[in-house]
Amino acid sequence: SIFTFLTCPTTEPGVAACDFVIFPQRWMVAEGTFRPPYFHRNCMAEFMGLIYGSYDAKEGFRAGGASLHNFCTPHGPDTVTYDKASTAELSPERYADTLAFMFETSFMLKLTDFSANTSLEPHYPRVWHGLTNRYEPEEEA
């Protein structure tokens, strides 16, 4: 991540045991692009939390909230955020009064029994319902 401020390397070049990342107040100025984090899978586990403010990739993600996306778990912006970002007029935008953090590790994170059986957001996968598949593979010649 471009917001990494501390890395714990491994003996494998390009692989970190753990990266610590912050998402502070910032200007978003990129043109002709999709500004929220894109849909992706990682070869690392990501644990992300919001300390204060709002998070640009998920409507309703509140301060004190956290999410875990383990190795190769697909994730990205919710439908509302995707639709809004896909049609927004791109002009410089200030993300003020916000602070989020993330740590990512190349090790698989194991949940405790309590966390595995406690869901504060039981319908989390539904945030992607309504997304349109825009992938159109080229036909073979």
Side-chain angles (χ1 to χ4, degrees):
S1 171
I2 62 171
F3 297 107
T4 300
F5 71 92
L6 182 64
T7 297
C8 176
T10 64
T11 56
E12 181 75 27
V15 177
C18 193
D19 286 334
F20 295 92
V21 182
I22 62 166
F23 303 99
Q25 298 182 65
R26 61 200 179 278
W27 280 97
M28 299 299 277
V29 296
E31 296 177 329
T33 189
F34 183 73
R35 289 182 177 171
Y38 53 89
F39 295 96
H40 62 286
R41 294 179 187 205
N42 297 41
C43 58
M44 297 178 81
E46 292 182 345
F47 179 79
M48 187 258 174
L50 183 62
I51 297 171
Y52 64 83
S54 60
Y55 181 57
D56 60 316
K58 187 167 188 298
E59 293 280 321
F61 193 71
R62 296 187 307 254
S67 64
L68 171 65
H69 295 104
N70 245 334
F71 177 80
C72 283
T73 304
H75 58 286
D78 61 23
T79 304
V80 172
T81 302
Y82 177 86
D83 290 343
K84 194 184 307 181
S86 297
T87 58
E89 179 81 27
L90 293 180
S91 60
E93 182 180 0
R94 176 97 171 125
Y95 288 5
D97 302 319
T98 186
L99 182 61
F101 71 90
M102 180 173 65
F103 73 82
E104 45 189 13
T105 178
S106 54
F107 300 105
M108 185 71 99
L109 297 177
K110 183 178 179 191
L111 299 175
T112 64
D113 287 338
F114 177 80
S115 63
N117 295 306
T118 303
S119 180
L120 299 176
E121 195 173 1
H123 305 296
Y124 180 62
R126 291 185 189 166
V127 302
W128 295 290
H129 287 193
L131 283 174
T132 303
N133 182 356
R134 290 174 168 50
Y135 178 70
E136 295 181 21
E138 294 182 36
E139 292 185 30
E140 292 184 30

